[in-house]
Every structure is written in C-alpha cells, then in structure tokens.
Amino acid sequence: MLNREHGEMNVSGSYQEQQSWYRDAFIKNLTVVLLGIVINYLNGSMVHTFHREEVLRENPRYVLFIHLVVNDMIQLFITISLFICTYVFLTINVSVCCLLMIAAVFTTQNTPLNLATMAVECYVAVCLPLRYATVCTLWRAHLAIGLMWATSALTVLPDLFILLATEPLSFFLSRVLCDRDRVFRSIYSVAKRDATNITLLVIVWLTLLYTYFNILFAARSASKDAKKAHNTVLLHGFQVLLCMMVYVQPMMLKGFMQLFPGSFSGVQFTAFVLTQILPRFVNPLLYGLRDKTFRRYLKKYILGRSRPCGRMKSFS
C-alpha cells in the first residue's frame, strides 16, 4: 500500500515537473520569436526604405548600414532557429548543423568588421572632406562588403576543412546538439578560433580608436558634423562591445551560475538574449532611427507619408 502511494506521488511529481518544463520552454521560445519578429520587421522596413529611395542607394554610408541590417536579419533568423531546434528536436543532423554554424559564424564575424568600416567612412567624411567623394564611392563600399565576407570565410572555412579531414563519415550522419564546440571540436579548430577572434578584435579596436581620436581632434574645431561623427564612432565602439559578449559567453555563463546556482536553464536563456538578441535590437535603434535622414524616409513608408523629404545631413 505504501509502495503504491509512494509510486503515485512520484508519478504526480514527475508530471508536474514535466508540465513546468513545457510551460517554461513555451514562454522562452515565444519570447525569443516575438523579439525576432519585432526586430526583423523594423529591419525589413529599413531595407524596404533603402531600396525605394535612390538617394539612399547612392550613398556609401547607407549601403554599409543596410549591409549591417541584412547581416543582422540573417544572424537573428539562424540563431533563433537553432534556439527553437534545441527545444523541439534537441539534436539535429551534423551536416545540417555545420551549414547553420558556418552561416552563423559568417554573420557574427561580419558585424564588428562592418562597424569598423563605417567608422572609417566617418573619419574620411570629417578629417578628409575634400577626398570623400573619391575615397568613399559606391564601388569601394561594395568592395569593402566583399572583403568582409572574404575575411569571415577565412575564419570559418578552415574549420570545415579540418572537420572533413579528422572526422569519419559516420560523424556527419549522426545527430548532435548543435553547438560550434560540439561540431568543430578539433583542438586545432579551437586554437584557430581563439587566435582569429583576438586578431580581428584587435584590428577592429585599433581602427575604432584611430578614427575616434582623429575625429575627436577635429571636433574641437566646433564643427557640427565633426561632433556628430565623434558621437557616431562612440556608438560604433559601444556596439562592438555588445558584439564581443558572444566571445565571453562561456565566462558569462560561469559567472551567472555562481550568482544563481541551480538556475542553469534561466542563465542560458539570459545569456542568449544578451549575446544574440540585444545587439541585433540595438543596431536599428542606434544607426537607423537615430539618423534624421533615414528616419524621415522611414516614417514616409511606415506612416504612409508622401510629402517630399529635405536634404540629407551627415551624422544625424
């Protein structure tokens, strides 16, 4: 009798735990999906505005900005898809995971490179205004975007080649929890990843510091455009800091676990939102809605305004 009652209590407790897990998983996935829809709707509106206005398409600054927006849209879609897959399927085919990881790494590496390039464009506009028209052209903006993707390819494609050389065919047919360290698990890949991340971040930060201080000196001349550019480069640095959180995610998880022991699931979700969702949410706010020219054109389509827009202004 006692054994049966004890068994019924265990079944009841297990059922309640299962219901609690499903409810928690539903809330987290719903939150992530809603955030993704809102951010990508805003980003999609910016892309639509950019393609409808020739004056924006012909400006290298907005070409670089829209590339950042599209890059964020791709990354957000991939990371949210992977997040949902961990709850729905738990594990997925290694080959599929490889493709998703490659795309995720491409877009992750592109973001700081794009921000550094935008900072250089600000520097040329303020410190070399007479050469701006010859240095910052549409062709060079597209060339810079191509170089970003080529650089990102050099950081992740060697991982794929190492994987093909070191793992048997059966590994690619197996299923795995889709995580970069679980797929590209060779010690060579880990060492190369760390060295590549450090190198790229050093280059990006040196670029931002160089452009920041040069624009800062130019801002002392009381030039309105110089002061706005100075603030813009500061925002680039802030965004790079947000992007860097993905590199310190393991340490972040460890720190959160020490503060909140026994809440591993909640800590993982918080870290995911901070490293993957928050930077994608900040980008359109800082670089799109903050820019007066772009905001004016964006309102024209979102609110259905048809009145003509004024002249473009730099570093709004």
Side-chain angles (χ1 to χ4, degrees):
M1 181 70 176
L2 290 175
N3 288 337
R4 192 177 74 175
E5 290 178 354
H6 181 68
E8 290 176 352
M9 290 177 63
N10 285 340
V11 170
S12 176
S14 176
Y15 177 76
Q16 291 178 355
E17 290 177 0
Q18 189 177 31
Q19 288 294 101
S20 176
W21 185 90
Y22 280 122
R23 183 170 58 252
D24 183 63
F26 174 78
I27 293 173
K28 289 176 180 176
N29 280 275
L30 180 63
T31 301
V32 167
V33 169
L34 289 178
L35 286 173
I37 290 174
V38 171
I39 296 171
N40 273 351
Y41 172 76
L42 181 58
N43 284 336
S45 299
M46 292 183 177
V47 174
H48 173 74
T49 301
F50 173 80
H51 284 291
R52 289 293 299 270
E53 296 295 337
E54 185 178 0
V55 69
L56 298 178
R57 297 198 306 271
E58 293 179 349
N59 191 309
R61 178 176 307 143
Y62 295 114
V63 170
L64 293 173
F65 168 67
I66 287 300
H67 174 257
L68 180 68
V69 169
V70 173
N71 184 81
D72 282 352
M73 292 177 70
I74 297 172
Q75 185 182 32
L76 197 62
F77 175 78
I78 294 172
T79 53
I80 290 179
S81 297
L82 288 173
F83 183 86
I84 295 173
C85 283
T86 58
Y87 281 93
V88 177
F89 305 109
L90 188 60
T91 60
I92 62 175
N93 181 268
V94 170
S95 299
V96 176
C97 180
C98 283
L99 295 176
L100 293 174
M101 278 294 110
I102 289 173
V105 174
F106 262 106
T107 51
T108 298
Q109 299 288 10
N110 279 342
T111 301
L113 295 174
N114 205 129
L115 292 170
T117 306
M118 292 169 69
V120 171
E121 187 272 338
C122 290
Y123 162 77
V124 175
V126 172
C127 300
L128 304 170
L130 298 179
R131 299 181 58 188
Y132 182 84
T134 56
V135 174
C136 296
T137 63
L138 282 179
W139 182 85
R140 289 188 177 180
H142 289 110
L143 176 62
I145 292 172
L147 291 175
M148 291 178 209
W149 284 91
T151 303
S152 298
L154 291 176
T155 66
V156 67
L157 291 184
D159 291 334
L160 179 61
F161 298 145
I162 293 172
L163 186 67
L164 292 171
T166 57
E167 297 291 346
L169 179 61
S170 57
F171 176 71
F172 296 93
L173 300 177
S174 62
R175 299 175 67 86
V176 68
L177 182 65
C178 195
D179 180 78
R180 184 174 182 178
D181 291 337
R182 294 176 185 270
V183 177
F184 303 118
R185 54 188 184 178
S186 168
I187 57 173
Y188 303 107
S189 293
V190 174
K192 181 204 65 64
R193 180 194 62 194
D194 293 340
T196 301
N197 288 342
I198 292 172
T199 302
L200 287 179
L201 288 176
V202 167
I203 293 173
V204 168
W205 276 110
L206 288 176
T207 302
L208 289 174
L209 289 174
Y210 178 81
T211 56
Y212 171 77
F213 283 111
N214 277 277
I215 293 174
L216 179 63
F217 294 141
R220 292 181 178 179
S221 64
S223 167
K224 186 178 180 181
D225 284 346
K227 290 181 178 179
K228 289 179 179 179
H230 161 258
N231 294 333
T232 300
V233 175
L234 272 180
L235 293 176
H236 291 333
F238 171 70
Q239 181 61 0
V240 171
L241 281 175
L242 291 179
C243 297
M244 285 176 62
M245 288 195 299
V246 73
Y247 301 120
V248 297
Q249 186 172 355
M251 291 181 288
M252 184 187 299
L253 285 172
K254 185 181 297 184
F256 281 160
M257 283 304 300
Q258 291 177 350
L259 292 174
F260 306 100
S263 304
F264 183 71
S265 178
V267 166
Q268 275 193 319
F269 176 72
T270 302
F272 176 81
V273 172
L274 289 177
T275 58
Q276 301 294 340
I277 303 294
L278 181 60
R280 263 70 283 157
F281 178 70
V282 169
N283 266 344
L285 296 180
L286 291 186
Y287 307 123
L289 299 182
R290 177 178 171 269
D291 186 282
K292 292 181 180 179
T293 300
F294 206 101
R295 185 170 67 245
R296 191 181 303 120
Y297 282 104
L298 188 63
K299 287 180 179 179
K300 173 183 172 182
Y301 290 105
I302 291 182
L303 302 180
R305 296 182 180 180
S306 58
R307 62 190 182 193
C309 300
R311 294 178 59 190
M312 295 183 66
K313 295 182 180 180
S314 300
F315 313 110
S316 297

